[in-house]
Amino acid sequence: MLSQGELPYPRGTLVMDTISERSGLLVGVIEERYKSNGKLHKSQAFMVPEVGGIEWDVPLDRIKPVE
């Protein structure tokens, strides 16, 4: 089951994927849960480039705010 997750930082925060080092604005979080027991399977952060463009997603645990 998919559902909207809680944002770890305010919407629009500039964040970076710690693996690819790609940065963008945080726009949302999607959680995937097991239908059988409701336990969290994975969370994906959705980001857009600062200058506009195509949205992409990365695992939520791979993002951190850009300082």
Side-chain angles (χ1 to χ4, degrees):
M1 293 184 338
L2 294 177
S3 62
Q4 188 172 12
E6 192 170 320
L7 294 171
Y9 313 107
R11 182 179 169 87
T13 298
L14 182 61
V15 294
M16 177 185 289
D17 175 355
T18 58
I19 301 296
S20 71
E21 297 186 354
R22 189 174 179 191
S23 62
L25 303 174
L26 179 65
V27 295
V29 172
I30 295 291
E31 294 179 338
E32 185 176 345
R33 295 183 176 272
Y34 293 103
K35 192 172 185 178
S36 61
N37 59 14
K39 288 188 178 184
L40 183 63
H41 172 62
K42 67 179 179 177
S43 296
Q44 293 290 111
F46 285 81
M47 300 156 44
V48 294
E50 286 184 88
V51 295
I54 298 175
E55 181 178 81
W56 76 96
D57 66 302
V58 298
L60 183 61
D61 60 354
R62 284 181 22 188
I63 66 166
K64 68 175 185 176
V66 174
E67 296 180 17

